[in-house]
Amino acid sequence: QVHLVESGGGLVQPGGSLRLSCAASGFTFSIYSMGWYRQAPGKERELVARITSAGGTTRYTDSVKGRFTISRDNAKNTVYLQMNSLKPEDTAVYYCNRLTGISGARPLDGWGQGTLVTVSS
């Protein structure tokens, strides 16, 4: 069965950095696009970053462009989200998921526990 485990969240001051990890199992990781989602209090869940199966193409929502970087290590079945210059509005629970593709992406699996990122002074 598909299993996605997010880690790396925590409390950070504005302007700080965190790196999130998502360890995947139960499917052939290297043939799927992957994405990072977040859900902030009172807001809809949004796809903030996505990456193609081999890592050659990435996309970001406008609010995180230039600050976040998604990457993957297919040998480790892991996708990462490097988060720099963090802002209070980045506070959310962050989730990873397998995607239908890089364009018109939809999550393929259920949602795990996620990892909480809190940006506050």
Side-chain angles (χ1 to χ4, degrees), residues 3-19:
H3 196 204
L4 300 167
V5 181
E6 300 93 347
S7 63
L11 175 64
V12 65
Q13 294 183 351
S17 297
L18 286 172
R19 190 178 78 153

Side-chain angles (χ1 to χ4, degrees), residues 12-15 22 28 47 50 56 61 64 73 78 97 104-105 107 109 118:
V12 65
Q13 294 183 351
C22 171
T28 305
L47 178 62
R50 63 187 93 168
T61 194
V64 309
D73 186 341
T78 302
N97 215 308
D109 303 302
T118 302

Side-chain angles (χ1 to χ4, degrees), residues 99-115:
L99 302 177
T100 56
I102 193 67
S103 299
R106 293 177 57 249
L108 281 168
D109 303 302
W111 302 103
Q113 185 170 290
T115 187

Side-chain angles (χ1 to χ4, degrees), residues 5-118:
V5 181
E6 300 93 347
S7 63
L11 175 64
V12 65
Q13 294 183 351
S17 297
L18 286 172
R19 190 178 78 153
L20 308 183
S21 297
C22 171
S25 61
F27 64 97
T28 305
F29 181 79
S30 62
I31 68 171
Y32 286 95
S33 294
M34 296 291 293
W36 281 98
Y37 294 78
R38 68 184 181 190
Q39 187 164 31
K43 295 186 177 180
E44 295 289 322
R45 184 181 58 233
E46 63 173 339
L47 178 62
V48 299
R50 63 187 93 168
I51 188 167
T52 51
S53 60
T57 301
T58 58
R59 292 184 184 178
Y60 304 90
T61 194
D62 286 345
S63 63
V64 309
K65 285 181 179 177
R67 301 189 298 119
F68 290 10
T69 302
I70 188 171
S71 62
R72 65 193 295 161
D73 186 341
N74 286 347
K76 296 181 179 179
N77 282 15
T78 302
V79 60
Y80 305 95
L81 186 67
Q82 179 66 47
M83 309 165 67
N84 298 327
S85 301
L86 284 162
K87 303 175 180 180
E89 52 263 44
D90 295 319
T91 296
V93 178
Y94 285 74
Y95 304 88
C96 63
N97 215 308
R98 183 168 51 154
L99 302 177
T100 56
I102 193 67
S103 299
R106 293 177 57 249
L108 281 168
D109 303 302
W111 302 103
Q113 185 170 290
T115 187
L116 176 63
V117 172
T118 302

